Amino acid sequence: MCIRDRFRKGDYKGAIEQYKRTIGGGSVEPSFVIRQFLDAQRIKYLTEYLEELHKDKYKIANKNHTTLLLNCYTKLHDGAKLKEFITNTSNSFDPGNAIKVCRQAGYFDEATMLAEQYRQPDDFVKIQLENLDKPEKAIEFIRNLPVDEAESIMKVHGKTLIFRLPQQACECLVDLCTGQWKAKRRLGTSSSSSSSHHP
């Protein structure tokens, strides 16, 4: 049975399995398959297709595909699959975009992990300040950055940190300005233990 006949008869599982086999062959554009399965009732099949599309052997998935896949996970409330995807080193994706999607969906633990793993200190601090209300964690994190990264972060978030934690933030600024800064570790050397909020 051809793919379109399977789709018309409601055999979405069979259809998506056949569509997955077309990836990389050029016979069917991913955009066509995605349009076919965008309906909410077919989202789990769309998720399967997008997962296959992201496999490193194809190198086809783009930023929009990643956004759609991560949104599929969040709509299915499948935090385990979301975490599995972003921690699988064989998957190709834009970490900045993944962090944005995770934050928007309330998966702050996953967003924090990505920010540290992919060396995105600004995103890490934003999550602590704007999503988790943990200015102390932001200060602790900044304290462990190399001086150039710490200076960059304080230029952006210093005002907020001084308002929230005036003493600790001022101590950071003094140490940066007087050459007393000593980083304990570099970004990416350990994972964050911040709490997450799932919708």
Side-chain angles (χ1 to χ4, degrees):
M1 187 183 296
C2 75
I3 303 177
R4 294 191 181 188
D5 286 342
R6 287 185 184 278
F7 187 88
R8 280 196 294 268
K9 294 186 177 188
D11 180 12
Y12 302 128
K13 183 173 179 58
I16 208 65
E17 286 300 323
Q18 286 188 253
Y19 276 130
K20 282 160 65 176
R21 290 196 286 271
T22 70
I23 295 174
S27 59
V28 181
E29 283 294 320
S31 58
F32 173 80
V33 180
I34 291 168
R35 286 196 301 271
Q36 293 277 88
F37 286 86
L38 274 177
D39 186 276
Q41 294 179 335
R42 303 168 195 153
I43 191 170
K44 68 177 182 177
Y45 304 110
L46 174 59
T47 304
E48 286 182 33
Y49 179 79
L50 290 167
E51 286 174 337
E52 187 71 19
L53 197 67
H54 275 80
K55 288 186 177 176
D56 196 49
K57 61 182 177 180
Y58 300 118
K59 300 194 182 299
I60 292 175
N62 61 35
K63 183 176 178 178
N64 292 330
H65 296 145
T66 303
T67 301
L68 185 56
L69 176 57
L70 296 178
N71 278 321
C72 284
Y73 287 143
T74 60
K75 286 179 181 178
L76 292 169
H77 303 291
D78 196 340
K81 273 293 189 85
L82 174 66
K83 188 169 186 177
E84 180 184 346
F85 176 81
I86 62 178
T87 56
N88 187 339
T89 56
S90 68
N91 290 325
S92 300
F93 61 90
D94 179 335
N97 185 56
I99 291 168
K100 180 180 178 181
V101 173
C102 288
R103 288 185 69 197
Q104 288 174 339
Y107 286 84
F108 303 130
D109 189 51
E110 288 77 5
T112 298
M113 179 186 65
L114 283 168
E116 190 158 22
Q117 181 180 344
Y118 288 95
R119 298 186 55 80
Q120 306 288 326
D122 185 64
D123 283 315
F124 187 99
V125 173
K126 279 183 180 177
I127 295 163
Q128 306 311 308
L129 295 178
E130 299 174 10
N131 301 125
L132 297 175
D133 191 28
K134 291 188 174 181
E136 298 88 354
K137 185 73 176 178
I139 288 284
E140 178 188 352
F141 176 79
I142 293 167
R143 275 288 185 188
N144 290 322
L145 291 175
V147 64
D148 55 339
E149 292 180 354
E151 285 177 351
S152 178
I153 293 296
M154 290 302 289
K155 284 177 184 177
V156 176
H157 301 287
K159 189 174 181 179
T160 300
L161 287 166
I162 287 172
F163 178 76
R164 302 288 299 279
L165 296 172
Q167 182 176 341
Q168 294 94 319
C170 284
E171 287 173 357
C172 281
L173 290 171
V174 168
D175 286 350
L176 284 169
C177 293
T178 59
Q180 300 299 311
W181 193 262
K182 292 182 180 179
K184 296 177 183 176
R185 65 175 174 83
R186 292 192 65 85
L187 185 64
T189 59
S190 68
S191 59
S192 168
S193 60
S194 63
S195 301
S196 63
H197 165 69
H198 293 255

